[in-house]
Each structure stands twice: as C-alpha cells, then as structure tokens.
Amino acid sequence: MLSKALGDAERDGAVVKNVCKLQKAPRITESEMVIVQDVAGLVDKLRGERLHAPAMVALFTGMRLGEVLALRWNRVDLEGKVIMVREALEPTKAHGIRFKPPKSKAGRRDITLPDTLVDALREHRRAVLELQMKLGAGRLPDDALLFSNLEGTPLQPSNVSSDWGDLAERIGAPGVTFHGLRHTHASQLIASGVDIVTISKRLGHAKPSVTLAIYAHMFHTDDSKAADAINAALRNS
C-alpha cells in the first residue's frame, strides 16, 4: 500500500523516488486465527448473555463487526429469513463513529438466515421492545439499530470487541475474537462442501480469489472427487 502511494507521488512529482522499490516487503509469519470448535456448545453458553444476539449474527452470517453493529431493523426480514447488508460502522479520529457504505460492491449483499438465528433475533427484538416499554420510549423506529445503547446511538466497536474477549474467556472459548466468529462461519461452510463462489458472496469478498487466499488451508487436499468425476464421465461416454 505504501509502495503504491509513493508510486503515485513519484508519478505526480511530489517525491523524487519511490524508496519502497529498493526494499522487498518482509515476510510475515502466518498464524491461523482461533475458531470455535464446538459451535452448538458455544450457542448454549451464549444464552442470556448481553452479546448473545450480535455474536449469533456474526457466527451464522459471517458478517464483520462493523456490519453487525450498523444493522437496522428495516434491513432484517425475519419472515423472509434475510439480512440486507447496506452499511458498516467506521470509527474515525475526526468524526467519531460514522456509518459508511460497504467497502466494495460485493459488500452490499443479502444473506439468508438459518432458523436458529431467526429465533435468536426474534427473541432479541422482544427484549428490545420490552425495554422500550419500560423506559416509556414509545414505538421502536423502523430504522432503529439492532444493537445500540439506551439512547439508540451506535455501540463502539472497540468496546464490543473487548467485551467479547472477556466473555469468550468466561464461557470457555479463550482466544476466539469476535472476528474469529466470522472465520468460524466460513469454516463451517467449507466443511459442509459449499462452493467457493457462494462462500465468497456470503462473506462479502470482492472476488472468490480473496476467499481462497484467506481460507485455502481449510480446504481438504483429497482430490478423489475429481477422479470420481472423470470416471463417471468416461462411463457415460
């Protein structure tokens, strides 16, 4: 990224030389992100916890934390079992937390929901409506955030991430970050044999090649299916 920026500056005459061309980028040791091994067990332990609903969304849609915290009720169709991702939260130094469009065209997507997540979101909505009544806050606006503070303003992503870390330790999932829930979702899809294009679209990646670059290590190396396909083709020829 720095090399590209300096390359543009060199072309525009802002700097004499792109010094990044003189030095190769250092190799970074890959470390595999910790994912949830017992998803059903984690779901049971999350019940009754404050972060139950947002964690369930991340775990069963693969949405990023900023996308989860930007979700509004008018973008959630519980009857149709679909979440429409149209915004994400972005913490900035100059403007604080702000809403922004997805970082790529692929980030603007509709995600089909499993029944367990639909049930969790129905329960969350009931709890939100009950709290509204207790506070005398009146009707819940259609564009209200799913996850907010009492004033209806967005939660701070860094605080949610930190709170999740404490919760993960307490419920026996040490090392699993909130972003690790997204990786867990991807690993579930891969293990279930879902094709890479579908996984890529669900995660909001710009290209399937991005998904492959991140999750290649999760795909089994057994290519027996390829041999079986060739055998079947020859039998039918």
Side-chain angles (χ1 to χ4, degrees), residues 27-103:
R27 290 183 176 274
I28 300 174
T29 303
E30 292 186 6
S31 57
E32 188 172 336
M33 181 171 286
V34 179
I35 62 175
V36 180
Q37 300 300 327
D38 180 8
V39 173
L42 180 71
V43 169
D44 286 339
K45 293 175 181 177
L46 282 174
R47 298 186 192 283
E49 297 289 348
R50 183 172 59 85
L51 293 179
H52 173 238
M56 289 285 286
V57 172
L59 187 59
F60 291 108
T61 68
M63 290 170 62
R64 303 173 180 90
L65 176 57
E67 294 172 335
V68 173
L69 298 183
L71 265 181
R72 302 179 186 275
W73 283 111
N74 59 3
R75 297 297 187 188
V76 179
D77 181 358
L78 294 179
E79 293 299 324
K81 301 180 180 180
V82 173
I83 277 178
M84 292 159 273
V85 182
R86 300 293 184 271
E87 294 178 295
L89 282 188
E90 179 184 44
T92 67
K93 290 184 178 180
H95 308 287
I97 299 176
R98 66 179 183 181
F99 291 90
K100 66 170 186 175
K103 61 182 183 181

Side-chain angles (χ1 to χ4, degrees), residues 6-27:
L6 289 175
D8 292 343
E10 182 182 19
R11 185 189 63 241
D12 296 338
V15 298
V16 176
K17 181 185 294 184
N18 179 356
V19 294
C20 284
K21 291 180 180 179
L22 305 176
Q23 179 63 48
K24 291 183 178 180
R27 290 183 176 274

